[in-house]
Amino acid sequence: MSQTMPSTADLLGNRRRILVTGGAGFIGGAVVRRLLRDSDATVFNLDKMGYASDLTSIQEVLAEQGEADGVRHRLQCVDLKDAEAVDAAVREANPDLVMHLAAESHVDRSISGPGEFISSNITGTYNLLQAVRSHVERLSEARAAAFRLHHISTDEVFGSLGAEGRFSETTPYDPRSPYSASKAASDHLVQAWHHTFGLPVVLTNCSNNYGPWQFPEKLIPVVTLKAAAGEPIPLYGDGLNVRDWLYVEDHVDALLLAACRGQSGRSYCVGGHGEKTNKEVVTTICNQLDQHHPNNAPHAHLITRVIDRPGHDRRYAIDPTRITEELGWQPRHNVEQGLAATVAWYLQHQDWCSKVRDQANYDGGRLGLNRPQ
Ligand code: NAD
Ligand code: TYD
């Protein structure tokens, strides 16, 4: 089935005030940019402004639109761990829709320091649920009927697949890293608040995203930047772990459809039919650099097998039948095109990558080797 993606303004309808948590991060930033470009809603961006946060991309959109910051885009610099601050932020935003993306998101960091994942992803989600529960009680009947809390989660909650099969909404949870366990816990809290307190929620579980503006600690930016610098490219273990790659703008399409048209209490799996081994991804990036950045060619010589990630999940893959059939979602990019555009983007934005790495005090080195603290 092929359907045209409805416009953002059509999807939002009468929803004028949108609270996005984690809107200074990679995927949240893409959501905020879409809302600013394609609707006239006011966006409240609740983010603790942690190591992975940056507002450059949003400022560029505001400049394009000739809009001052603080009018349609309102940053709320709040840590979800602070229940009182979260409650105040939700009261100020008075939202018609909450899209909850804020989370610690890097598996390797969850191995080096799991505590932040427990407090941000689990306690943080609990604090948001409580604040949103009170908010819904204050809403008029009409606004309450249209209200949704959309919880954005990951396919990693389902664990690790063998060579066959794909995750779907009915796959039992089996998280295996501190990151995925903290996201699984947050998914359970959201479902519990729906069943027990009647909170109108929607959940999505998506596969690995890639695209511009991702903090350069995850596979695709790391490999592109290392290759461009002529540095060893770290490939964990045997390089045969499989991820199902989805271009971030396709994820944003799915998020807006689920948030605005998803059924309350329902979850939707999102994935782009983009399964690749890490070795294939790394080799594709190297081949692209050989063409566009030939000084270190052949870049594949830089690929270096390094010690594996502890507990490294073997394979993730998503069956997106539900969101395709019920909400008409289709990815608009295939991995080959999306990856080529993304690699080109990182090559053109190396200054931004250096800036955010410096701000985060991160030198691009290996994370998550589970060394004694
Ligand atoms: P990211 O790390 O780029 O951004 C996360 C943002 O959340 C950051 O700006 C951070 O400051 C903010 N945040 C974290 N803890 C917070 C707290 N306690 N209070 C307030 N703000 C806080 O992550 P991302 O890749 O954009 O992921 C966004 C969401 O999507 C996450 O919930 C993640 O689990 C989920 N997800 C990510 C992927 C992926 O491939 N990146 C795939 C599926 C789902
Ligand atoms: P990552 O981008 O961290 O996403 P996730 O762990 O959430 O899937 O890693 C994607 C895959 O790439 C994962 O199997 C680990 C592997 N990987 C490497 O081989 N080298 C690297 O430098 C990084 C960051 C990841």
Side-chain angles (χ1 to χ4, degrees), residues 10-64:
D10 280 352
L11 284 171
L12 289 177
N14 292 330
R15 300 175 183 91
R16 315 294 309 153
R17 302 170 70 89
I18 319 295
L19 173 59
V20 177
T21 77
F26 167 50
I27 303 171
V31 170
V32 170
R33 295 194 301 275
R34 180 78 67 88
L35 291 169
L36 292 173
R37 274 199 180 111
D38 294 352
S39 82
D40 55 7
T42 301
V43 182
F44 294 83
N45 182 351
L46 187 163
D47 199 299
K48 71 179 176 186
M49 299 306 290
Y51 80 92
S53 308
D54 185 68
L55 295 173
T56 308
S57 69
I58 292 172
Q59 281 153 359
E60 283 185 10
V61 171
L62 291 171
E64 263 171 36

Side-chain angles (χ1 to χ4, degrees), residues 12 24 66 107 148 165 174 181 280 333 356:
L12 289 177
V107 174
R148 289 281 185 281
D174 181 24
E280 285 170 326
H333 302 80
V356 293

Side-chain angles (χ1 to χ4, degrees), residues 36 42 45 81 105 126 211 213 227 300 338 360:
L36 292 173
T42 301
N45 182 351
K81 282 176 272 185
S105 70
Y126 160 71
W213 307 108

Side-chain angles (χ1 to χ4, degrees), residues 145-212:
F147 180 85
R148 289 281 185 281
L149 168 69
H150 176 192
H151 177 64
I152 286 83
S153 193
T154 165
D155 60 356
E156 303 191 24
V157 299
F158 300 120
S160 182
L161 290 164
E164 300 295 322
R166 294 190 293 170
F167 300 132
S168 75
E169 294 78 6
T170 54
T171 305
Y173 276 45
D174 181 24
R176 298 149 59 100
S177 74
Y179 163 65
S180 56
S182 69
K183 291 297 293 186
S186 66
D187 292 12
H188 291 320
L189 291 176
V190 171
Q191 288 289 19
W193 260 241
H194 171 69
H195 289 289
T196 306
F197 304 116
L199 199 67
V201 303
V202 165
L203 291 88
T204 45
N205 294 87
C206 187
S207 60
N208 286 58
N209 282 216
Y210 68 95

Side-chain angles (χ1 to χ4, degrees), residues 269-304:
C269 281
V270 186
H273 307 286
E275 281 189 61
K276 298 264 177 225
T277 65
N278 293 336
K279 205 170 163 185
E280 285 170 326
V281 170
V282 170
T283 307
T284 305
I285 296 174
C286 287
N287 292 342
Q288 196 178 336
L289 263 88
D290 289 348
Q291 287 173 33
H292 300 297
H293 206 273
N295 42 335
N296 299 317
H299 292 82
H301 283 176
L302 297 167
I303 299 172
T304 308

